[in-house]
Amino acid sequence: MAEEAKQETAAAAAEVVATEAEKKAEEPAPAVETKAEEPAPAEEPAPAEEKAVEAEEKAVEAEKKAEDDSEEEKKAEEAEEAAAADEAAVIDGTGSFKEETNLVSELPDPERTALAQLKELVAAALANGEFDLPPPAQPAAAAPAEEPKTEEPAKEEVKTEAPAEAAAAEETKTEAPAEAAAEEPKAETAAVDEPKTEAAAPEEAKAEEPAKEEPKAEEPTKEEPKAEEPAKEESKTEAPAEAAAEEPKAEAAAEEAKPAEPEPEEKAVVVAEEESTKTVEAIEETVVPAAAAPAPAAEPKEELIWGVPLVGDDERTDTVLLKFLRAREFKVKEAMAMLKSAVLWRKKFGIDEVLDADLGLPELENVVFYRGADREGHPVCYNVYGEFQDKELYEKAFGDEEKRERFLKWRIQLLERGIREQLDFSPSGICSMVQVTDLKNSPPMLGKHRAVTRQALALLQDNYPEFIAKKVFINVPWWYLAANKMMSPFLTQRTKSKIVFCSPGKSAETLFRYIAPEQVPVQFGGLYKEDDTEFSTSDAVTELTVKPSSKETIEIPATENTTVVWELRVLGWEVSYGAEFTPSAEGGYTVIVQKTRKVPANEEPIMKGSFKVSEPGKVVLTVNNAASKKKKLLYRYKVKSSAESA
C-alpha cells in the first residue's frame, strides 16, 4: 500500500507540473503584464488555482483507480480463461474452417477466371496426350531392330575392302593424275555410305529426323560422278571399285570389273541410291510407329478422376478442378502441374486395380473406419493407431517390405472407396470429410511403420487436395502438444483453421463440438453402437452439464400402458445415479426403478433402463455430482406403446 501511495503521489505531482506548464504556455503574455502592473495581487490567486488543480487531480486519480480495478478484474478473468484453456489443452485455429462454394456463379471473378484458364490447359493437355503414360515397351522393342542395322555397314565395309584390294592390285602402272582421280571416287563412296551409318546411329539415339534429312542433302554429292566422267574414263580400273563400294548387295560387280562406260556407273549410283532409300524407308517404318504412338491422343479422350471427367459439361468437373486450384492458392500453372502429376500417379499406382483387389487385411477394420457424419453432414473417418499395440497385428501390417507395401495399398483403397461412396462432387454436395485421429497408446515414432506412414502422408497430400474439412486429434500426449506449438507458426492460416488438438480429459467434449454424441462411437465418449436395437443415429441425444456439488434431474412424462426406455451416460462418472417412477394421481406410490448408487469411473459407459407404465406419471432420473469438477451428462429416451414394446 505504501508503494502504491508513493506512486500515486508521484503521479499527482507530475500531473500538477504538467498542468502548470500547460497553463503557462497558454497565457504567457498576461502573466508578464500582471507582474509588471500589480505584482502583489498576481501572486494571491496561485493557491486557489493549485487547490482547484489538486481537486481535479484527485478526481482523475479516482477515475484511474476505478479503471485500474476494472483492468485488474479483466486480467483476472483472462487468466482464469487461459487456465481453463490450458486445462482443456485444446489448440484450435483462430477461426473455424468454412468450406467455400463450388457454384461457379458464386465465385469471385479472379477465381472464376482461374477456373476457366485451368479448363483450357486441361483440354490442351488431353489433346497432346500429356495425361498418358509413356509406352514402357519402347526401349526393349528398339534394341533388336538396331543390331542388324549396325551390322550392315560392317558387312558393306568388308565387301568394299575386297574390291578395293583387287583394284589396288590392278593399279600397278597408275600415274599420279590417276591416283588423284582415284581419291575422289573413294571420297564419294564414303559420302554415299555415310547416310547408311548415320541412319543407324541416330536410331540408337532415338533421333530419326536428322537421318531422314541427310540423304536429301547429299544428293548433289551423288551427282558429282557425272561431272567427273572424263577423269574416270582415264582410270578404267577404278570404276569397278566404286561400283563395288556403292552396291553392297551386288556380288556380281567384282566379276564385271572391266573398263566400264559412264552408263553402267550411273546405274550403279542409281541402285545405290535406291538401296539407301530402302534402308531409310525401313528405318522410318520401324521408327514411325513409336513416334506416332501419341497420335490417337490428338482426339481428346475422356479422362476420369474419382469417376468425374476432367473436361466436358459435367457440373462435378468444376468441383474437382476447384480442389486443385484451392490447394495451390489459385495459381493456375501450379494447379495444372499438381493435377497432371496426380493423374499420372493414379495410373502408375493402378488405382482401378487396387479398388477391386482383395488385400486380405480384415484385422485392420478397427484401425481405420468410417462412422457417421459431423453436424454439417461430412462423413467421419476414424484412425485408431492404438490397435497396433497388438504385436501380431503390427507384424502383419509392417513386418517386412511386402507387408508395408500391402498396407499402403489397403490405406489408399479405403480412402478411394470412401471418396466414391460417401462424397458428392455436385456443386451443392458434400465433397470433403472429417478425420479423427486417436493417439492413445499409439506406437512410438520410431518403428517399422515410420517409412510407410510418411509415404502414405505424402501421397495423400500430393494427390488428394482439399478432402479434409476438419482434422481432430484426440487423446494427445503433452509432448505432442508441445511439438505442435513449435510447428504452429510454420502452418498457413487455412491449415491451422482445419486442425484441432485436445488432451485426453477433453477429447469427448471437443468431438461433440463438431460431431453430435449420437454419431460418436462409445469408445470415444458418444452413444453410437453398431448392435444397438433400441436407438439409432436418428435418435437425438441431449447434453447437460452437471455443476460441481450439484444435482441434475431428468423427467420423462409417460401415459398409461406405455413403456419408457432410456439410456444415460456421464463422462468420467464418479457420480450417484438413480431412477424412480412418480404417478400423477395424488396419493400414488413412488416406484424405485433404479436404486441410487455411486457409479465409479470404470463402470459400464452407458446405463440403460426401461419401465412399463400402468398409470399416467413420469420417470425421474437423478444424477448427483459430489465432485469438485463439472460433468458432462448425455441421455436420450423413447416412450413406446404396449403394442410397440411387445
Side-chain angles (χ1 to χ4, degrees):
M1 295 296 293
E3 292 179 358
E4 292 179 358
K6 290 179 181 179
Q7 292 176 357
E8 292 174 0
T9 304
E15 290 176 359
V16 170
V17 174
T19 306
E20 291 178 354
E22 290 174 0
K23 288 184 177 180
K24 290 178 181 178
E26 290 174 358
E27 301 178 356
V32 174
E33 292 176 0
T34 53
K35 287 181 182 179
E37 294 176 359
E38 298 179 359
E43 294 177 356
E44 290 179 0
E49 291 178 0
E50 289 179 0
K51 289 180 181 179
V53 170
E54 288 178 0
E56 291 178 0
E57 289 171 359
K58 288 180 180 179
V60 172
E61 288 176 6
E63 291 178 359
K64 284 189 174 183
K65 285 182 181 179
E67 291 177 358
D68 292 340
D69 292 339
S70 62
E71 288 179 1
E72 289 178 359
E73 290 177 359
K74 289 180 180 179
K75 289 180 179 179
E77 291 177 359
E78 291 176 358
E80 290 178 1
E81 292 176 359
D86 290 339
E87 181 183 359
V90 176
I91 303 174
D92 199 351
T94 55
S96 179
F97 172 73
K98 185 178 181 180
E99 286 187 289
E100 300 88 345
T101 180
N102 288 320
L103 292 171
V104 178
S105 59
E106 297 179 2
L107 292 175
D109 290 339
E111 295 182 3
R112 197 180 310 165
T113 302
L115 178 60
Q117 292 175 353
L118 181 59
K119 285 184 174 180
E120 292 177 0
L121 290 179
V122 172
L126 283 173
N128 296 331
E130 295 180 18
F131 289 104
D132 297 331
L133 290 174
Q138 182 178 359
E146 291 174 1
E147 293 178 1
K149 292 176 182 177
T150 53
E151 291 176 359
E152 287 179 2
K155 294 178 181 179
E156 291 175 4
E157 291 177 3
V158 173
K159 294 179 181 179
T160 305
E161 290 174 3
E165 291 175 359
E170 294 176 0
E171 291 177 352
T172 53
K173 299 180 180 180
T174 307
E175 298 177 355
E179 291 177 0
E183 290 177 359
E184 292 178 2
K186 291 180 181 179
E188 292 169 5
T189 305
V192 174
D193 291 338
E194 279 178 4
K196 299 179 182 179
T197 55
E198 289 176 3
E203 183 185 3
E204 295 176 0
K206 297 181 182 179
E208 295 84 1
E209 295 180 0
K212 298 175 184 178
E213 296 174 357
E214 287 180 2
K216 297 179 181 179
E218 292 174 357
E219 288 179 0
T221 307
K222 297 174 183 177
E223 293 176 357
E224 290 181 4
K226 296 180 181 179
E228 296 175 357
E229 288 177 4
K232 291 181 181 178
E233 290 176 356
E234 296 177 359
S235 55
K236 296 180 180 180
T237 56
E238 292 173 5
E242 180 182 356
E246 293 176 352
E247 187 179 358
K249 296 180 181 180
E251 297 179 357
E255 298 176 359
E256 296 176 356
K258 298 179 181 180
E261 296 180 358
E263 292 181 0
E265 182 179 357
E266 290 178 0
K267 292 180 181 179
V269 173
V270 172
V271 172
E273 289 178 356
E274 291 177 355
E275 291 295 331
S276 61
T277 304
K278 291 179 181 179
T279 305
V280 173
E281 288 177 355
I283 294 172
E284 290 176 354
E285 289 176 359
T286 57
V287 174
V288 167
E299 297 180 0
K301 63 179 182 180
E302 189 177 46
E303 190 73 56
L304 301 177
I305 182 168
W306 304 302
V308 178
L310 290 180
V311 294
D313 298 330
D314 195 323
E315 60 181 3
R316 299 175 301 166
T317 300
D318 294 336
T319 303
V320 172
L321 296 182
L322 283 171
K323 284 183 175 291
F324 287 90
L325 283 169
R326 289 182 176 127
R328 290 297 179 263
E329 299 178 346
F330 283 88
K331 296 176 182 177
V332 179
K333 291 184 178 180
E334 294 182 11
M336 179 61 193
M338 185 182 188
L339 174 61
K340 181 180 175 182
S341 175
V343 172
L344 293 177
W345 169 79
R346 293 173 67 83
K347 293 182 177 181
K348 291 178 183 177
F349 196 80
I351 290 295
D352 294 336
E353 291 76 12
V354 170
L355 269 173
D356 301 328
D358 181 9
L359 300 174
L361 292 172
E363 300 86 353
L364 298 180
E365 292 179 355
N366 294 327
V367 177
V368 184
F369 55 88
Y370 293 93
R371 190 78 73 242
D374 73 342
R375 296 183 184 273
E376 297 177 354
H378 300 94
V380 182
C381 178
Y382 291 88
N383 302 274
V384 189
Y385 297 132
E387 293 290 327
F388 286 122
Q389 275 195 316
D390 184 347
K391 293 183 178 179
E392 183 178 350
L393 178 61
Y394 184 87
E395 287 297 324
K396 187 169 185 178
F398 309 111
D400 53 38
E401 186 63 31
E402 182 179 354
K403 293 178 180 178
R404 289 190 287 271
E405 186 68 23
R406 184 177 59 171
F407 174 83
L408 179 63
K409 289 183 178 180
W410 173 83
R411 186 64 185 90
I412 297 297
Q413 180 191 67
L414 187 70
L415 177 60
E416 283 285 332
R417 290 178 176 177
I419 290 174
R420 300 189 184 218
E421 296 172 4
Q422 304 198 40
L423 297 185
D424 179 11
F425 289 104
S426 62
S428 58
I430 301 295
C431 61
S432 60
M433 62 183 68
V434 172
Q435 279 201 352
V436 177
T437 301
D438 184 12
L439 297 179
K440 183 179 181 180
N441 299 324
S442 59
M445 297 295 290
L446 298 177
K448 297 178 180 179
H449 67 284
R450 184 180 184 185
V452 69
T453 50
R454 283 189 174 185
Q455 184 181 0
L457 180 61
L459 290 177
L460 297 181
Q461 290 177 343
D462 295 340
N463 303 290
Y464 297 89
E466 297 298 314
F467 276 97
I468 303 300
K470 182 72 69 176
K471 190 169 182 66
V472 184
F473 292 86
I474 61 175
N475 296 315
V476 180
W478 65 269
W479 56 266
Y480 201 100
L481 292 172
N484 179 73
K485 286 183 179 180
M486 296 176 63
M487 295 299 298
S488 182
F490 301 98
L491 301 177
T492 64
Q493 185 60 39
R494 183 182 180 85
T495 301
K496 287 191 287 188
S497 68
K498 294 183 178 183
I499 301 177
V500 179
F501 296 90
C502 53
S503 63
K506 297 296 179 180
S507 292
E509 293 184 28
T510 303
L511 282 179
F512 297 158
R513 290 166 54 188
Y514 309 104
I515 309 170
E518 62 267 20
Q519 299 278 357
V520 177
V522 173
Q523 66 191 100
F524 302 118
L527 297 184
Y528 175 82
K529 300 178 297 298
E530 290 186 1
D531 57 349
D532 196 342
T533 57
E534 291 290 347
F535 298 95
S536 65
T537 55
S538 60
D539 299 315
V541 174
T542 302
E543 300 179 54
L544 293 176
T545 299
V546 185
K547 296 180 180 179
S549 302
S550 65
K551 181 170 65 174
E552 191 74 36
T553 58
I554 302 167
E555 296 184 356
I556 305 173
T559 58
E560 187 177 358
N561 296 325
T562 58
T563 300
V564 179
V565 181
W566 68 89
E567 63 180 5
L568 176 144
R569 179 175 190 174
V570 177
L571 300 180
W573 287 106
E574 295 295 340
V575 298
S576 298
Y577 161 72
E580 61 184 21
F581 173 75
T582 303
S584 301
E586 295 182 2
Y589 293 97
T590 299
V591 179
I592 297 177
V593 179
Q594 173 66 53
K595 186 178 180 179
T596 301
R597 69 181 183 90
K598 186 176 182 179
V599 182
N602 58 354
E603 184 74 29
E604 186 72 20
I606 298 177
M607 288 290 182
K608 287 193 172 188
S610 63
F611 182 75
K612 290 184 178 181
V613 181
S614 57
E615 57 180 324
K618 59 183 178 181
V619 174
V620 181
L621 309 179
T622 304
V623 175
N624 187 7
N625 180 22
S628 59
K629 294 183 178 181
K630 62 182 180 180
K631 300 285 185 177
K632 176 67 72 174
L633 168 63
L634 309 173
Y635 74 91
R636 57 182 171 179
Y637 64 87
K638 284 182 179 180
V639 179
K640 302 187 295 184
S641 64
S642 299
E644 292 177 354
S645 58

